Amino acid sequence: SHNRIVRLARQQGFENVIIAEDDICFTAPNAWKYFLEQLELNKDADIFLSMIYEGEIDDNNRIVKAPKSFSGLTLYSVNSKFYDTFLSMDIMSHKDKKLGECADKYDYRVCPEFCTKQMDGYSDQKKRDCKYDHLLKGRRLFGV
């Protein structure tokens, strides 16, 4: 479904597209507004994310390639200059893992304060109930 959204945005000539998963949860009131403000400041990034669970972030809020890839496509924006690259990645793969494998080649940025998280519940990918809050330990959360 992420690929379909990006493909449609490319066909429509959108400058960027924002994608949110159905299990999104904002961290505080005005978190959506904060995300949009941060997106405007980072509109030249290939991908701009509201948060990540796994992965390393440098002092400029960029995701860096690390032995462990990043995860967290809960709410993010894809820039039009990156549409073709995004769409060329294996459709059957974990999209965030594939993106993370090439984090050293592209410009992925994250909100300085994470403004979303994923609701606890059943994971289609993991085929079991999952809890995620422990993965946010040590991260700065908007409004918290």
Side-chain angles (χ1 to χ4, degrees), residues 49 51-57 62-74 94 96-97 100 103 110 114 118 125-126 128 131-132 134-137 139:
L49 300 102
M51 57 76 73
I52 62 171
Y53 279 121
E54 298 173 332
E56 295 179 27
I57 304 168
R62 286 192 163 92
I63 297 174
V64 296
K65 185 174 180 182
K68 198 172 199 177
S69 186
F70 81 90
S71 66
L73 296 180
T74 304
H94 287 257
D96 43 6
K97 302 295 182 193
V110 184
F114 294 0
Q118 196 170 338
Q125 287 188 350
K126 295 184 179 183
R128 62 181 166 85
K131 294 186 183 276
Y132 302 99
H134 69 283
L135 296 170
L136 294 174
K137 268 195 168 154
R139 305 285 196 180

PDB file of all heavy atoms in Angstrom, residues 49 51-57 62-74 94 96-97 100 103 110 114 118 125-126 128 131-132 134-137 139:
ATOM      1  N   LEU A  49      10.598  11.564   8.712  1.00  0.00           N
ATOM      2  CA  LEU A  49       9.801  10.692   9.571  1.00  0.00           C
ATOM      3  C   LEU A  49       9.413  11.375  10.870  1.00  0.00           C
ATOM      4  O   LEU A  49      10.153  12.206  11.393  1.00  0.00           O
ATOM      5  CB  LEU A  49      10.584   9.421   9.910  1.00  0.00           C
ATOM      6  CG  LEU A  49      10.995   8.566   8.712  1.00  0.00           C
ATOM      7  CD1 LEU A  49      12.458   8.774   8.383  1.00  0.00           C
ATOM      8  CD2 LEU A  49      10.735   7.119   8.986  1.00  0.00           C
ATOM      9  N   MET A  51       9.078   9.650  13.649  1.00  0.00           N
ATOM     10  CA  MET A  51       9.757   8.889  14.701  1.00  0.00           C
ATOM     11  C   MET A  51      10.431   7.677  14.092  1.00  0.00           C
ATOM     12  O   MET A  51      10.180   7.349  12.936  1.00  0.00           O
ATOM     13  CB  MET A  51       8.755   8.416  15.761  1.00  0.00           C
ATOM     14  CG  MET A  51       7.605   7.574  15.238  1.00  0.00           C
ATOM     15  SD  MET A  51       7.940   5.848  14.810  1.00  0.00           S
ATOM     16  CE  MET A  51       8.108   5.154  16.435  1.00  0.00           C
ATOM     17  N   ILE A  52      11.296   7.047  14.885  1.00  0.00           N
ATOM     18  CA  ILE A  52      11.783   5.708  14.559  1.00  0.00           C
ATOM     19  C   ILE A  52      11.876   4.920  15.858  1.00  0.00           C
ATOM     20  O   ILE A  52      12.027   5.501  16.935  1.00  0.00           O
ATOM     21  CB  ILE A  52      13.150   5.702  13.822  1.00  0.00           C
ATOM     22  CG1 ILE A  52      14.262   6.311  14.676  1.00  0.00           C
ATOM     23  CG2 ILE A  52      13.034   6.385  12.477  1.00  0.00           C
ATOM     24  CD1 ILE A  52      15.658   6.135  14.078  1.00  0.00           C
ATOM     25  N   TYR A  53      11.751   3.609  15.750  1.00  0.00           N
ATOM     26  CA  TYR A  53      11.938   2.759  16.921  1.00  0.00           C
ATOM     27  C   TYR A  53      13.378   2.288  17.009  1.00  0.00           C
ATOM     28  O   TYR A  53      14.050   2.470  17.989  1.00  0.00           O
ATOM     29  CB  TYR A  53      11.000   1.548  16.874  1.00  0.00           C
ATOM     30  CG  TYR A  53       9.605   1.878  17.331  1.00  0.00           C
ATOM     31  CD1 TYR A  53       8.517   1.684  16.499  1.00  0.00           C
ATOM     32  CD2 TYR A  53       9.377   2.394  18.593  1.00  0.00           C
ATOM     33  CE1 TYR A  53       7.235   1.989  16.925  1.00  0.00           C
ATOM     34  CE2 TYR A  53       8.100   2.711  19.020  1.00  0.00           C
ATOM     35  CZ  TYR A  53       7.041   2.497  18.188  1.00  0.00           C
ATOM     36  OH  TYR A  53       5.784   2.813  18.614  1.00  0.00           O
ATOM     37  N   GLU A  54      13.828   1.652  15.984  1.00  0.00           N
ATOM     38  CA  GLU A  54      15.206   1.181  15.944  1.00  0.00           C
ATOM     39  C   GLU A  54      15.994   2.103  15.041  1.00  0.00           C
ATOM     40  O   GLU A  54      15.443   2.746  14.161  1.00  0.00           O
ATOM     41  CB  GLU A  54      15.262  -0.244  15.404  1.00  0.00           C
ATOM     42  CG  GLU A  54      14.533  -1.241  16.266  1.00  0.00           C
ATOM     43  CD  GLU A  54      14.449  -2.613  15.618  1.00  0.00           C
ATOM     44  OE1 GLU A  54      14.447  -2.691  14.374  1.00  0.00           O
ATOM     45  OE2 GLU A  54      14.373  -3.594  16.361  1.00  0.00           O
ATOM     46  N   GLY A  55      17.284   2.160  15.255  1.00  0.00           N
ATOM     47  CA  GLY A  55      18.139   2.949  14.392  1.00  0.00           C
ATOM     48  C   GLY A  55      18.822   4.064  15.142  1.00  0.00           C
ATOM     49  O   GLY A  55      18.433   4.418  16.251  1.00  0.00           O
ATOM     50  N   GLU A  56      19.846   4.591  14.512  1.00  0.00           N
ATOM     51  CA  GLU A  56      20.634   5.659  15.101  1.00  0.00           C
ATOM     52  C   GLU A  56      20.387   6.967  14.355  1.00  0.00           C
ATOM     53  O   GLU A  56      20.172   6.977  13.151  1.00  0.00           O
ATOM     54  CB  GLU A  56      22.116   5.308  15.050  1.00  0.00           C
ATOM     55  CG  GLU A  56      22.472   4.101  15.900  1.00  0.00           C
ATOM     56  CD  GLU A  56      23.938   3.758  15.826  1.00  0.00           C
ATOM     57  OE1 GLU A  56      24.767   4.662  15.568  1.00  0.00           O
ATOM     58  OE2 GLU A  56      24.261   2.578  16.019  1.00  0.00           O
ATOM     59  N   ILE A  57      20.418   8.054  15.118  1.00  0.00           N
ATOM     60  CA  ILE A  57      20.187   9.393  14.575  1.00  0.00           C
ATOM     61  C   ILE A  57      21.384  10.255  14.961  1.00  0.00           C
ATOM     62  O   ILE A  57      21.815  10.240  16.118  1.00  0.00           O
ATOM     63  CB  ILE A  57      18.899  10.000  15.170  1.00  0.00           C
ATOM     64  CG1 ILE A  57      17.706   9.075  14.911  1.00  0.00           C
ATOM     65  CG2 ILE A  57      18.640  11.382  14.590  1.00  0.00           C
ATOM     66  CD1 ILE A  57      16.466   9.449  15.692  1.00  0.00           C
ATOM     67  N   ARG A  62      19.498  13.133  11.365  1.00  0.00           N
ATOM     68  CA  ARG A  62      19.557  12.253  10.195  1.00  0.00           C
ATOM     69  C   ARG A  62      19.741  10.813  10.658  1.00  0.00           C
ATOM     70  O   ARG A  62      20.512  10.544  11.583  1.00  0.00           O
ATOM     71  CB  ARG A  62      20.719  12.650   9.286  1.00  0.00           C
ATOM     72  CG  ARG A  62      20.458  13.920   8.516  1.00  0.00           C
ATOM     73  CD  ARG A  62      21.507  14.103   7.419  1.00  0.00           C
ATOM     74  NE  ARG A  62      21.053  15.054   6.454  1.00  0.00           N
ATOM     75  CZ  ARG A  62      21.308  16.355   6.502  1.00  0.00           C
ATOM     76  NH1 ARG A  62      22.012  16.855   7.493  1.00  0.00           N
ATOM     77  NH2 ARG A  62      20.857  17.162   5.565  1.00  0.00           N
ATOM     78  N   ILE A  63      19.060   9.910   9.983  1.00  0.00           N
ATOM     79  CA  ILE A  63      19.246   8.490  10.264  1.00  0.00           C
ATOM     80  C   ILE A  63      20.562   8.065   9.637  1.00  0.00           C
ATOM     81  O   ILE A  63      20.834   8.377   8.475  1.00  0.00           O
ATOM     82  CB  ILE A  63      18.081   7.660   9.689  1.00  0.00           C
ATOM     83  CG1 ILE A  63      16.770   8.060  10.366  1.00  0.00           C
ATOM     84  CG2 ILE A  63      18.346   6.170   9.853  1.00  0.00           C
ATOM     85  CD1 ILE A  63      15.545   7.413   9.769  1.00  0.00           C
ATOM     86  N   VAL A  64      21.370   7.385  10.415  1.00  0.00           N
ATOM     87  CA  VAL A  64      22.661   6.917   9.911  1.00  0.00           C
ATOM     88  C   VAL A  64      22.603   5.410   9.725  1.00  0.00           C
ATOM     89  O   VAL A  64      21.886   4.709  10.437  1.00  0.00           O
ATOM     90  CB  VAL A  64      23.817   7.306  10.861  1.00  0.00           C
ATOM     91  CG1 VAL A  64      23.959   8.806  10.938  1.00  0.00           C
ATOM     92  CG2 VAL A  64      23.617   6.724  12.248  1.00  0.00           C
ATOM     93  N   LYS A  65      23.366   4.942   8.763  1.00  0.00           N
ATOM     94  CA  LYS A  65      23.415   3.503   8.534  1.00  0.00           C
ATOM     95  C   LYS A  65      24.152   2.877   9.710  1.00  0.00           C
ATOM     96  O   LYS A  65      25.203   3.333  10.117  1.00  0.00           O
ATOM     97  CB  LYS A  65      24.122   3.182   7.220  1.00  0.00           C
ATOM     98  CG  LYS A  65      24.092   1.714   6.891  1.00  0.00           C
ATOM     99  CD  LYS A  65      24.667   1.437   5.529  1.00  0.00           C
ATOM    100  CE  LYS A  65      24.604  -0.054   5.247  1.00  0.00           C
ATOM    101  NZ  LYS A  65      25.191  -0.365   3.958  1.00  0.00           N
ATOM    102  N   ALA A  66      23.572   1.858  10.243  1.00  0.00           N
ATOM    103  CA  ALA A  66      24.152   1.169  11.388  1.00  0.00           C
ATOM    104  C   ALA A  66      23.955  -0.333  11.191  1.00  0.00           C
ATOM    105  O   ALA A  66      23.201  -0.739  10.312  1.00  0.00           O
ATOM    106  CB  ALA A  66      23.462   1.640  12.670  1.00  0.00           C
ATOM    107  N   PRO A  67      24.618  -1.129  12.003  1.00  0.00           N
ATOM    108  CA  PRO A  67      24.410  -2.578  11.868  1.00  0.00           C
ATOM    109  C   PRO A  67      22.932  -2.953  11.960  1.00  0.00           C
ATOM    110  O   PRO A  67      22.469  -3.823  11.247  1.00  0.00           O
ATOM    111  CB  PRO A  67      25.185  -3.163  13.049  1.00  0.00           C
ATOM    112  CG  PRO A  67      26.191  -2.128  13.411  1.00  0.00           C
ATOM    113  CD  PRO A  67      25.583  -0.803  13.032  1.00  0.00           C
ATOM    114  N   LYS A  68      22.199  -2.268  12.808  1.00  0.00           N
ATOM    115  CA  LYS A  68      20.763  -2.498  12.930  1.00  0.00           C
ATOM    116  C   LYS A  68      20.063  -1.388  12.152  1.00  0.00           C
ATOM    117  O   LYS A  68      20.290  -0.214  12.393  1.00  0.00           O
ATOM    118  CB  LYS A  68      20.369  -2.456  14.401  1.00  0.00           C
ATOM    119  CG  LYS A  68      19.055  -3.087  14.695  1.00  0.00           C
ATOM    120  CD  LYS A  68      18.866  -3.160  16.196  1.00  0.00           C
ATOM    121  CE  LYS A  68      17.820  -4.181  16.522  1.00  0.00           C
ATOM    122  NZ  LYS A  68      17.650  -4.346  17.950  1.00  0.00           N
ATOM    123  N   SER A  69      19.227  -1.756  11.236  1.00  0.00           N
ATOM    124  CA  SER A  69      18.524  -0.785  10.410  1.00  0.00           C
ATOM    125  C   SER A  69      17.496  -0.025  11.235  1.00  0.00           C
ATOM    126  O   SER A  69      17.353  -0.254  12.422  1.00  0.00           O
ATOM    127  CB  SER A  69      17.837  -1.522   9.269  1.00  0.00           C
ATOM    128  OG  SER A  69      17.260  -0.623   8.372  1.00  0.00           O
ATOM    129  N   PHE A  70      16.773   0.889  10.600  1.00  0.00           N
ATOM    130  CA  PHE A  70      15.740   1.599  11.342  1.00  0.00           C
ATOM    131  C   PHE A  70      14.374   0.979  11.066  1.00  0.00           C
ATOM    132  O   PHE A  70      14.171   0.273  10.086  1.00  0.00           O
ATOM    133  CB  PHE A  70      15.747   3.098  11.015  1.00  0.00           C
ATOM    134  CG  PHE A  70      15.049   3.486   9.734  1.00  0.00           C
ATOM    135  CD1 PHE A  70      13.705   3.806   9.740  1.00  0.00           C
ATOM    136  CD2 PHE A  70      15.737   3.566   8.542  1.00  0.00           C
ATOM    137  CE1 PHE A  70      13.046   4.179   8.576  1.00  0.00           C
ATOM    138  CE2 PHE A  70      15.096   3.943   7.370  1.00  0.00           C
ATOM    139  CZ  PHE A  70      13.752   4.242   7.395  1.00  0.00           C
ATOM    140  N   SER A  71      13.452   1.247  11.966  1.00  0.00           N
ATOM    141  CA  SER A  71      12.058   0.886  11.746  1.00  0.00           C
ATOM    142  C   SER A  71      11.202   2.025  12.257  1.00  0.00           C
ATOM    143  O   SER A  71      11.587   2.723  13.189  1.00  0.00           O
ATOM    144  CB  SER A  71      11.698  -0.420  12.461  1.00  0.00           C
ATOM    145  OG  SER A  71      11.762  -0.252  13.854  1.00  0.00           O
ATOM    146  N   GLY A  72      10.070   2.224  11.639  1.00  0.00           N
ATOM    147  CA  GLY A  72       9.179   3.282  12.084  1.00  0.00           C
ATOM    148  C   GLY A  72       8.540   4.082  10.977  1.00  0.00           C
ATOM    149  O   GLY A  72       8.653   5.295  10.952  1.00  0.00           O
ATOM    150  N   LEU A  73       7.858   3.427  10.066  1.00  0.00           N
ATOM    151  CA  LEU A  73       7.145   4.143   9.000  1.00  0.00           C
ATOM    152  C   LEU A  73       5.711   4.440   9.427  1.00  0.00           C
ATOM    153  O   LEU A  73       4.781   4.327   8.636  1.00  0.00           O
ATOM    154  CB  LEU A  73       7.178   3.325   7.701  1.00  0.00           C
ATOM    155  CG  LEU A  73       8.553   3.109   7.091  1.00  0.00           C
ATOM    156  CD1 LEU A  73       8.451   2.282   5.817  1.00  0.00           C
ATOM    157  CD2 LEU A  73       9.254   4.427   6.804  1.00  0.00           C
ATOM    158  N   THR A  74       5.544   4.867  10.666  1.00  0.00           N
ATOM    159  CA  THR A  74       4.218   5.159  11.208  1.00  0.00           C
ATOM    160  C   THR A  74       3.618   6.398  10.562  1.00  0.00           C
ATOM    161  O   THR A  74       2.460   6.417  10.191  1.00  0.00           O
ATOM    162  CB  THR A  74       4.309   5.323  12.729  1.00  0.00           C
ATOM    163  OG1 THR A  74       4.890   4.128  13.272  1.00  0.00           O
ATOM    164  CG2 THR A  74       2.944   5.540  13.354  1.00  0.00           C
ATOM    165  N   HIS A  94      10.411  -5.732   4.039  1.00  0.00           N
ATOM    166  CA  HIS A  94      10.111  -4.734   5.064  1.00  0.00           C
ATOM    167  C   HIS A  94      10.665  -3.421   4.520  1.00  0.00           C
ATOM    168  O   HIS A  94      11.874  -3.250   4.422  1.00  0.00           O
ATOM    169  CB  HIS A  94      10.806  -5.084   6.383  1.00  0.00           C
ATOM    170  CG  HIS A  94      10.183  -6.230   7.087  1.00  0.00           C
ATOM    171  ND1 HIS A  94       9.369  -6.061   8.172  1.00  0.00           N
ATOM    172  CD2 HIS A  94      10.262  -7.565   6.866  1.00  0.00           C
ATOM    173  CE1 HIS A  94       8.967  -7.239   8.604  1.00  0.00           C
ATOM    174  NE2 HIS A  94       9.490  -8.166   7.820  1.00  0.00           N
ATOM    175  N   ASP A  96      10.967  -0.373   5.644  1.00  0.00           N
ATOM    176  CA  ASP A  96      11.886   0.400   6.472  1.00  0.00           C
ATOM    177  C   ASP A  96      13.257  -0.266   6.545  1.00  0.00           C
ATOM    178  O   ASP A  96      14.279   0.409   6.533  1.00  0.00           O
ATOM    179  CB  ASP A  96      11.330   0.689   7.862  1.00  0.00           C
ATOM    180  CG  ASP A  96      10.642  -0.483   8.513  1.00  0.00           C
ATOM    181  OD1 ASP A  96      10.663  -1.597   7.960  1.00  0.00           O
ATOM    182  OD2 ASP A  96      10.062  -0.274   9.599  1.00  0.00           O
ATOM    183  N   LYS A  97      13.295  -1.588   6.583  1.00  0.00           N
ATOM    184  CA  LYS A  97      14.584  -2.291   6.618  1.00  0.00           C
ATOM    185  C   LYS A  97      15.348  -2.062   5.317  1.00  0.00           C
ATOM    186  O   LYS A  97      16.550  -1.820   5.329  1.00  0.00           O
ATOM    187  CB  LYS A  97      14.387  -3.789   6.855  1.00  0.00           C
ATOM    188  CG  LYS A  97      13.655  -4.118   8.131  1.00  0.00           C
ATOM    189  CD  LYS A  97      14.429  -3.712   9.357  1.00  0.00           C
ATOM    190  CE  LYS A  97      13.672  -4.104  10.608  1.00  0.00           C
ATOM    191  NZ  LYS A  97      14.209  -3.489  11.793  1.00  0.00           N
ATOM    192  N   GLY A 100      16.649   1.411   5.295  1.00  0.00           N
ATOM    193  CA  GLY A 100      17.765   1.530   6.229  1.00  0.00           C
ATOM    194  C   GLY A 100      19.067   0.990   5.682  1.00  0.00           C
ATOM    195  O   GLY A 100      20.146   1.491   6.020  1.00  0.00           O
ATOM    196  N   ALA A 103      20.813   3.939   4.092  1.00  0.00           N
ATOM    197  CA  ALA A 103      20.712   5.226   4.797  1.00  0.00           C
ATOM    198  C   ALA A 103      21.950   6.090   4.601  1.00  0.00           C
ATOM    199  O   ALA A 103      21.880   7.308   4.721  1.00  0.00           O
ATOM    200  CB  ALA A 103      20.461   4.999   6.285  1.00  0.00           C
ATOM    201  N   VAL A 110      14.523  12.835  10.822  1.00  0.00           N
ATOM    202  CA  VAL A 110      13.486  12.525  11.807  1.00  0.00           C
ATOM    203  C   VAL A 110      13.180  13.774  12.620  1.00  0.00           C
ATOM    204  O   VAL A 110      14.069  14.599  12.858  1.00  0.00           O
ATOM    205  CB  VAL A 110      13.973  11.407  12.756  1.00  0.00           C
ATOM    206  CG1 VAL A 110      12.886  10.987  13.719  1.00  0.00           C
ATOM    207  CG2 VAL A 110      14.479  10.221  11.981  1.00  0.00           C
ATOM    208  N   PHE A 114      10.068  13.083  18.753  1.00  0.00           N
ATOM    209  CA  PHE A 114       9.147  12.153  18.092  1.00  0.00           C
ATOM    210  C   PHE A 114       7.719  12.533  18.436  1.00  0.00           C
ATOM    211  O   PHE A 114       7.392  12.760  19.594  1.00  0.00           O
ATOM    212  CB  PHE A 114       9.415  10.728  18.532  1.00  0.00           C
ATOM    213  CG  PHE A 114      10.761  10.178  18.112  1.00  0.00           C
ATOM    214  CD1 PHE A 114      11.667  10.918  17.382  1.00  0.00           C
ATOM    215  CD2 PHE A 114      11.110   8.898  18.472  1.00  0.00           C
ATOM    216  CE1 PHE A 114      12.897  10.400  16.999  1.00  0.00           C
ATOM    217  CE2 PHE A 114      12.330   8.364  18.101  1.00  0.00           C
ATOM    218  CZ  PHE A 114      13.224   9.104  17.370  1.00  0.00           C
ATOM    219  N   GLN A 118       3.433   3.894  17.520  1.00  0.00           N
ATOM    220  CA  GLN A 118       2.555   2.878  16.968  1.00  0.00           C
ATOM    221  C   GLN A 118       1.715   2.308  18.105  1.00  0.00           C
ATOM    222  O   GLN A 118       2.229   2.024  19.180  1.00  0.00           O
ATOM    223  CB  GLN A 118       3.416   1.788  16.338  1.00  0.00           C
ATOM    224  CG  GLN A 118       2.704   0.869  15.424  1.00  0.00           C
ATOM    225  CD  GLN A 118       3.683  -0.020  14.669  1.00  0.00           C
ATOM    226  OE1 GLN A 118       4.858   0.306  14.533  1.00  0.00           O
ATOM    227  NE2 GLN A 118       3.209  -1.131  14.179  1.00  0.00           N
ATOM    228  N   GLN A 125       3.017  -8.097  10.237  1.00  0.00           N
ATOM    229  CA  GLN A 125       4.337  -8.579   9.826  1.00  0.00           C
ATOM    230  C   GLN A 125       4.881  -9.630  10.789  1.00  0.00           C
ATOM    231  O   GLN A 125       5.474 -10.608  10.377  1.00  0.00           O
ATOM    232  CB  GLN A 125       5.318  -7.417   9.696  1.00  0.00           C
ATOM    233  CG  GLN A 125       5.055  -6.569   8.476  1.00  0.00           C
ATOM    234  CD  GLN A 125       6.127  -5.537   8.242  1.00  0.00           C
ATOM    235  OE1 GLN A 125       6.983  -5.300   9.064  1.00  0.00           O
ATOM    236  NE2 GLN A 125       6.074  -4.922   7.081  1.00  0.00           N
ATOM    237  N   LYS A 126       4.676  -9.417  12.090  1.00  0.00           N
ATOM    238  CA  LYS A 126       5.216 -10.353  13.085  1.00  0.00           C
ATOM    239  C   LYS A 126       4.243 -11.472  13.441  1.00  0.00           C
ATOM    240  O   LYS A 126       4.593 -12.413  14.119  1.00  0.00           O
ATOM    241  CB  LYS A 126       5.630  -9.596  14.339  1.00  0.00           C
ATOM    242  CG  LYS A 126       6.787  -8.651  14.060  1.00  0.00           C
ATOM    243  CD  LYS A 126       7.258  -7.960  15.322  1.00  0.00           C
ATOM    244  CE  LYS A 126       8.433  -7.058  14.966  1.00  0.00           C
ATOM    245  NZ  LYS A 126       8.984  -6.411  16.140  1.00  0.00           N
ATOM    246  N   ARG A 128       1.774 -11.554  15.544  1.00  0.00           N
ATOM    247  CA  ARG A 128       1.525 -11.696  16.984  1.00  0.00           C
ATOM    248  C   ARG A 128       1.247 -10.324  17.577  1.00  0.00           C
ATOM    249  O   ARG A 128       1.487  -9.296  16.935  1.00  0.00           O
ATOM    250  CB  ARG A 128       2.703 -12.344  17.690  1.00  0.00           C
ATOM    251  CG  ARG A 128       4.002 -11.552  17.600  1.00  0.00           C
ATOM    252  CD  ARG A 128       5.147 -12.278  18.307  1.00  0.00           C
ATOM    253  NE  ARG A 128       6.423 -11.731  17.983  1.00  0.00           N
ATOM    254  CZ  ARG A 128       6.997 -10.686  18.590  1.00  0.00           C
ATOM    255  NH1 ARG A 128       6.375 -10.075  19.574  1.00  0.00           N
ATOM    256  NH2 ARG A 128       8.181 -10.251  18.221  1.00  0.00           N
ATOM    257  N   LYS A 131       4.010  -4.914  21.725  1.00  0.00           N
ATOM    258  CA  LYS A 131       4.037  -3.671  22.490  1.00  0.00           C
ATOM    259  C   LYS A 131       5.298  -2.935  22.063  1.00  0.00           C
ATOM    260  O   LYS A 131       6.341  -3.548  21.841  1.00  0.00           O
ATOM    261  CB  LYS A 131       4.039  -3.955  23.985  1.00  0.00           C
ATOM    262  CG  LYS A 131       2.752  -4.601  24.465  1.00  0.00           C
ATOM    263  CD  LYS A 131       2.743  -4.724  25.971  1.00  0.00           C
ATOM    264  CE  LYS A 131       1.506  -5.423  26.453  1.00  0.00           C
ATOM    265  NZ  LYS A 131       0.363  -4.602  26.620  1.00  0.00           N
ATOM    266  N   TYR A 132       5.217  -1.596  21.972  1.00  0.00           N
ATOM    267  CA  TYR A 132       6.307  -0.834  21.374  1.00  0.00           C
ATOM    268  C   TYR A 132       6.918   0.237  22.272  1.00  0.00           C
ATOM    269  O   TYR A 132       8.006   0.726  21.983  1.00  0.00           O
ATOM    270  CB  TYR A 132       5.818  -0.166  20.082  1.00  0.00           C
ATOM    271  CG  TYR A 132       5.286  -1.152  19.069  1.00  0.00           C
ATOM    272  CD1 TYR A 132       3.922  -1.365  18.930  1.00  0.00           C
ATOM    273  CD2 TYR A 132       6.151  -1.877  18.262  1.00  0.00           C
ATOM    274  CE1 TYR A 132       3.430  -2.287  18.007  1.00  0.00           C
ATOM    275  CE2 TYR A 132       5.673  -2.791  17.331  1.00  0.00           C
ATOM    276  CZ  TYR A 132       4.314  -2.987  17.210  1.00  0.00           C
ATOM    277  OH  TYR A 132       3.843  -3.890  16.294  1.00  0.00           O
ATOM    278  N   HIS A 134       8.535   0.375  24.975  1.00  0.00           N
ATOM    279  CA  HIS A 134       9.893   0.155  25.486  1.00  0.00           C
ATOM    280  C   HIS A 134      10.956   0.560  24.460  1.00  0.00           C
ATOM    281  O   HIS A 134      12.083   0.902  24.822  1.00  0.00           O
ATOM    282  CB  HIS A 134      10.090  -1.299  25.924  1.00  0.00           C
ATOM    283  CG  HIS A 134      10.096  -2.273  24.790  1.00  0.00           C
ATOM    284  ND1 HIS A 134       8.944  -2.695  24.155  1.00  0.00           N
ATOM    285  CD2 HIS A 134      11.124  -2.881  24.158  1.00  0.00           C
ATOM    286  CE1 HIS A 134       9.262  -3.532  23.188  1.00  0.00           C
ATOM    287  NE2 HIS A 134      10.580  -3.673  23.167  1.00  0.00           N
ATOM    288  N   LEU A 135      10.597   0.578  23.192  1.00  0.00           N
ATOM    289  CA  LEU A 135      11.541   0.963  22.142  1.00  0.00           C
ATOM    290  C   LEU A 135      11.760   2.480  22.083  1.00  0.00           C
ATOM    291  O   LEU A 135      12.646   2.951  21.381  1.00  0.00           O
ATOM    292  CB  LEU A 135      11.054   0.453  20.788  1.00  0.00           C
ATOM    293  CG  LEU A 135      10.988  -1.073  20.661  1.00  0.00           C
ATOM    294  CD1 LEU A 135      10.271  -1.466  19.380  1.00  0.00           C
ATOM    295  CD2 LEU A 135      12.378  -1.687  20.714  1.00  0.00           C
ATOM    296  N   LEU A 136      10.944   3.238  22.798  1.00  0.00           N
ATOM    297  CA  LEU A 136      11.074   4.699  22.810  1.00  0.00           C
ATOM    298  C   LEU A 136      11.884   5.204  23.999  1.00  0.00           C
ATOM    299  O   LEU A 136      12.086   6.414  24.135  1.00  0.00           O
ATOM    300  CB  LEU A 136       9.686   5.348  22.811  1.00  0.00           C
ATOM    301  CG  LEU A 136       8.878   5.127  21.541  1.00  0.00           C
ATOM    302  CD1 LEU A 136       7.468   5.682  21.698  1.00  0.00           C
ATOM    303  CD2 LEU A 136       9.576   5.756  20.336  1.00  0.00           C
ATOM    304  N   LYS A 137      12.367   4.309  24.841  1.00  0.00           N
ATOM    305  CA  LYS A 137      13.175   4.722  26.003  1.00  0.00           C
ATOM    306  C   LYS A 137      14.392   5.502  25.517  1.00  0.00           C
ATOM    307  O   LYS A 137      15.096   5.099  24.591  1.00  0.00           O
ATOM    308  CB  LYS A 137      13.639   3.499  26.783  1.00  0.00           C
ATOM    309  CG  LYS A 137      12.714   3.127  27.865  1.00  0.00           C
ATOM    310  CD  LYS A 137      13.362   2.160  28.830  1.00  0.00           C
ATOM    311  CE  LYS A 137      12.452   2.108  30.018  1.00  0.00           C
ATOM    312  NZ  LYS A 137      12.485   0.962  30.782  1.00  0.00           N
ATOM    313  N   ARG A 139      14.361   8.329  23.993  1.00  0.00           N
ATOM    314  CA  ARG A 139      14.024   9.214  22.869  1.00  0.00           C
ATOM    315  C   ARG A 139      13.243  10.419  23.402  1.00  0.00           C
ATOM    316  O   ARG A 139      12.515  10.316  24.378  1.00  0.00           O
ATOM    317  CB  ARG A 139      13.160   8.488  21.834  1.00  0.00           C
ATOM    318  CG  ARG A 139      13.744   7.205  21.289  1.00  0.00           C
ATOM    319  CD  ARG A 139      14.849   7.423  20.308  1.00  0.00           C
ATOM    320  NE  ARG A 139      15.084   6.191  19.561  1.00  0.00           N
ATOM    321  CZ  ARG A 139      15.997   6.071  18.630  1.00  0.00           C
ATOM    322  NH1 ARG A 139      16.776   7.081  18.320  1.00  0.00           N
ATOM    323  NH2 ARG A 139      16.149   4.939  17.989  1.00  0.00           N
TER     324      ARG A 139
END
